[in-house]
Amino acid sequence: FGFALIPQKQRRVVAKSDKALRRLARKILTDGIRMKKGETLTVETWANGLQFTSHLVAEARAMGVAPVTVFEDESAYVEGIRKSPRDRLGVMGRQEYALLAASDGYVFVPNSLLGPYAKKLEPGESARATVYNSSWYDAAEKAGLRGARMSWGFVGPELAQILGKTVGQVVDHLVAASLVDCAALSRTGRSLAGQLRDGSTLTLETEGARLTM
């Protein structure tokens, strides 16, 4: 994949650390969707996920997994929604169902257009374009698909502004959170739970935030 071919306005989500994305790709494939040699992987991404997708594909091939990448272009998506016949908008094609049936693993990197704060699409347009959701999940369940969705893909300038951060800062924090050792976190949680009794007060502190419960 070459970022030189991608319009600047679409290159929104690029994590600060390329090494972090490589580590995340490996973790998703091994700990997340547990891919094995000889299996098939489909990666669905927008321009904001190409950097990560390149790592996913490379890591998958190194594991002996056969990957296929499906790319969605932001400008083509918006134009397509507004020009598509109403009775075909949000309808999955036969080839998409076949792809789900033939895949063992699926990784989805969404775009901020699909998030709740995007302004390029009207709420009604976005809802009509995604009416296929339930049929997608029905097909995925039938196929026994193991999947992962990268929530940092939803981060766009609107959400970043609400949080008082840049897009890159929010993405970097989400990627870092995804790399946390979940087993160690679970052990810490069980240890804390063992010290709590009814009526106990617990305070969590992070950078700039404090939560007491």
Side-chain angles (χ1 to χ4, degrees):
F1 302 100
F3 276 103
L5 301 177
I6 301 171
Q8 181 67 37
K9 65 180 180 179
Q10 291 191 28
R11 274 181 275 154
R12 286 183 180 155
V13 182
V14 179
K16 184 190 306 180
S17 172
D18 194 62
K19 290 182 179 179
L21 287 182
R22 171 76 72 167
R23 288 175 55 207
L24 179 59
R26 190 178 302 119
K27 182 177 183 182
I28 292 298
L29 293 174
T30 55
D31 299 344
I33 56 178
R34 305 179 304 283
M35 297 302 299
K36 298 183 287 293
K37 181 179 179 181
E39 290 190 319
T40 57
L41 171 72
T42 296
V43 184
E44 181 183 352
T45 186
W46 299 62
N48 58 323
L50 285 178
Q51 182 188 11
F52 175 65
T53 297
S54 67
H55 291 312
L56 270 176
V57 169
E59 291 292 330
R61 286 179 175 150
M63 295 170 62
V65 171
V68 168
T69 301
V70 178
F71 175 72
E72 184 75 72
D73 177 76
E74 180 179 305
S75 58
Y77 182 82
V78 173
E79 182 179 353
I81 286 176
R82 291 175 176 161
K83 292 184 176 180
S84 175
R86 182 63 66 94
D87 62 344
R88 296 304 301 169
L89 183 59
V91 177
M92 283 178 59
R94 294 191 305 274
Q95 81 278 26
E96 294 180 82
Y97 287 110
L99 187 59
L100 290 176
S103 300
D104 297 299
Y106 202 102
V107 178
F108 177 44
V109 185
N111 181 276
S112 61
L113 273 178
L114 305 178
Y117 304 105
K119 297 179 180 179
K120 285 191 176 182
L121 291 174
E122 298 295 330
E125 291 178 323
S126 181
R128 288 192 296 272
T130 54
V131 293
Y132 61 83
N133 266 349
S134 60
S135 64
W136 192 100
Y137 283 104
D138 287 343
E141 182 178 13
K142 182 178 180 180
L145 197 66
R146 306 189 301 275
R149 181 171 62 184
M150 304 294 98
S151 60
W152 49 262
F154 289 118
V155 180
E158 297 88 0
L159 176 58
Q161 184 178 16
I162 292 172
L163 297 174
K165 306 286 185 180
T166 66
V167 171
Q169 287 173 330
V170 179
V171 171
D172 285 335
H173 280 291
L174 288 172
V175 169
S178 300
L179 289 170
V180 168
D181 184 340
C182 294
L185 192 63
S186 179
R187 289 194 296 272
T188 300
R190 286 196 298 271
S191 176
L192 289 173
Q195 301 175 45
L196 298 177
R197 300 290 183 272
D198 288 344
S200 297
T201 298
L202 176 65
T203 299
L204 300 177
E205 293 186 358
T206 62
E207 183 180 345
R210 180 187 179 94
L211 174 65
T212 299
M213 51 187 169

